[in-house]
Amino acid sequence: MPTRLSSGRYSAVAQAFHWIIAALIVTQFVLANLALDLPLGVHKLALFARHKSVGMTILMLAVLRLAWRLKNPAPPLPPGMSPLERLLARATHTAFYVLLFAMPVTGLLMSSAKNYSVSWFGLFTWPNLIGQNEAAFEALRTTHDWLSYVLFAIAVLHILAALKHHFWNKDDVLLRMLPLAKRRKL
Amino acid sequence: MTKRFRMAFTRLLSLCLATALGGAAGAAGFTADPSQSRLEFTGVQAGAAFKGVFHKFTAAIDFAPDALASSHFDVQIDLSSVDSMDKDRDTTIRGADILDVARFPTAHYVTRGFTKTATGYSAVGALTLRGVTKDVPIDFQFTQSGAGAKLEGSAQLKRLDFGAGQGDWKSTEWVADAVKISFSLILKPRS
């Protein structure tokens, strides 16, 4: 099976990266919010441990995805989009890529600053990037929080844009990222 | 004197000498210099190791390589001086479910006997922690330097043997049962 189709659809590899990482990001929001509601204890520790393992999984996938994306450009945007829409689409996609790295890296830095080394599902331990530092931890936590709000906001924008393309513009922008969808006849 | 008698006499003389020397070389008394000594523990939390230290402890060390029978360690650890470089974790460790320092402020380790090993020495001793007394062997090296000495070693214990983990903390899924203790004590002669 070719990894990139000439039809303008996203390839199977691109779709796999997109949907797996999207699902992991949703998991991250759920785990983080469940953990933050808990008092100090085993359950909080367990949820954050999973949050960290999933976060490091996203970081590793982000490296692969970026490398893959640089070699395999995305299909072109559909004709008829205004320059502003094109700029907004590019900016959103670039921001996603930046956040795919920034979220896990600030998370790993947070753990380092708090002297809680990050294990990847108990299989191996990531190195601490910085030494224990309470002030740095607080600053990193604020950064990690704000980046998560930005991520949430652009995810909402991204979903609304996909729906707008599908239902308003009636183009194939949404369908070309859906694994089982047929290409819409334009 | 016959040759036989001379041999017996020599043997007797050397035996007396050895006894006299052995008696003179009793275990020397030391105390750990708190500013240079370090008592550390390593636990495993969510699959990743973390280290902590106890800042306050006293160690009365009577030890001599040639007088193991009269050697003796007595170590008292102020458990509230725990420092794992995170205040949340320290609060949890001091709390009722882990060390319960409010009820059991100190841990106490007393040796019962020593043996020479291939790399150094081994001690058998009893650790009293959280109201439970249980044997914990330690392996160590002893290096004399001038009037003082350096004592470096380690031990392994299971936190649940001492009840250090009640309620949810009884589970070993997220916090391992095994805890490694390591120490580096700078010893000064005890006055």
Side-chain angles (χ1 to χ4, degrees), chain B residues 23-136:
Chain B
F30 299 99
T31 182
D33 176 2
S35 65
Q36 300 181 71
S37 299
R38 197 172 162 83
L39 177 59
E40 196 174 79
F41 64 95
T42 307
V44 178
Q45 182 177 43
F50 72 97
K51 279 186 181 180
V53 295
F54 290 99
H55 288 298
K56 289 185 193 165
F57 59 93
T58 57
I61 306 293
D62 294 330
F63 190 80
D66 54 1
L68 296 181
S70 60
S71 293
H72 188 251
F73 294 177
D74 189 311
V75 182
Q76 302 247 23
I77 303 157
D78 177 351
L79 296 174
S80 64
S81 73
V82 67
D83 180 0
S84 69
M85 300 224 289
D86 176 57
K87 56 178 167 38
D88 292 337
R89 187 163 45 205
D90 293 346
T91 305
T92 306
I93 292 172
R94 289 187 194 109
D97 280 349
I98 313 276
L99 292 183
D100 198 3
V101 300
R103 283 170 65 209
F104 307 103
T106 53
H108 192 192
Y109 184 72
V110 187
T111 59
R112 267 203 319 277
F114 294 83
T115 47
K116 177 95 184 76
T117 64
T119 53
Y121 304 91
S122 177
V124 188
L127 175 66
T128 303
L129 177 68
R130 215 183 183 280
V132 178
T133 301
K134 216 174 153 63
D135 276 1
V136 174

Side-chain angles (χ1 to χ4, degrees), chain A residues 40-43 45-46 49-50 114-119 122 125 132 134, chain B residues 45-49 51 84-89 92 168-169 173-175:
Chain A
L40 278 181
V42 171
H43 300 293
L45 180 68
R50 292 189 175 113
K114 208 165 167 59
N115 195 29
Y116 282 68
S117 298
V118 174
S119 165
T125 304
Q132 191 266 348
E134 191 66 28
Chain B
Q45 182 177 43
K51 279 186 181 180
S84 69
M85 300 224 289
D86 176 57
K87 56 178 167 38
D88 292 337
R89 187 163 45 205
T92 306
D168 291 339
W169 299 104
E173 189 184 356
W174 297 102
V175 179

Side-chain angles (χ1 to χ4, degrees), chain A:
Chain A
M1 197 169 78
T3 54
R4 195 157 69 90
L5 304 177
S6 56
S7 67
R9 279 178 65 77
Y10 277 96
S11 69
V13 175
Q15 290 184 5
F17 273 130
H18 176 274
W19 291 107
I20 291 169
I21 291 173
L24 293 176
I25 289 171
V26 172
T27 307
Q28 287 298 73
F29 274 95
V30 172
L31 288 172
N33 284 293
L34 287 175
L36 287 169
D37 286 343
L38 292 174
L40 278 181
V42 171
H43 300 293
K44 193 184 188 92
L45 180 68
L47 285 172
F48 271 131
R50 292 189 175 113
H51 179 77
K52 293 171 187 186
S53 292
V54 173
M56 292 300 100
T57 308
I58 294 173
L59 179 60
M60 292 186 284
L61 288 173
V63 172
L64 296 175
R65 185 177 184 181
L66 181 64
W68 194 87
R69 169 71 187 258
L70 291 174
K71 284 190 175 177
N72 302 273
L77 291 170
M81 284 173 68
S82 72
L84 181 67
E85 285 175 318
R86 287 173 181 276
L87 181 71
L88 204 54
R90 296 239 159 77
T92 308
H93 293 160
T94 306
F96 272 128
Y97 272 92
V98 170
L99 287 167
L100 281 186
F101 288 88
M103 287 301 298
V105 168
T106 51
L108 182 56
L109 284 166
M110 268 172 80
S111 293
S112 301
K114 208 165 167 59
N115 195 29
Y116 282 68
S117 298
V118 174
S119 165
W120 193 68
F121 297 106
L123 296 176
F124 67 91
T125 304
W126 290 74
N128 282 343
L129 301 181
I130 53 172
Q132 191 266 348
N133 184 328
E134 191 66 28
F137 168 75
E138 291 298 337
L140 285 160
R141 174 156 72 178
T142 307
T143 308
H144 195 71
D145 282 357
W146 275 101
L147 289 177
S148 76
Y149 304 146
V150 173
L151 176 57
F152 190 85
I154 65 168
V156 169
L157 183 65
H158 180 70
I159 292 163
L160 289 177
L163 294 175
K164 178 212 168 247
H165 276 279
H166 190 74
F167 292 109
W168 183 268
N169 302 107
K170 300 193 190 308
D171 59 26
D172 69 345
V173 159
L174 175 63
L175 293 178
R176 66 190 192 167
M177 191 43 108
L178 292 179
L180 298 173
K182 293 240 157 49
R183 194 178 182 216
R184 180 177 282 198
K185 296 279 181 285
L186 290 171

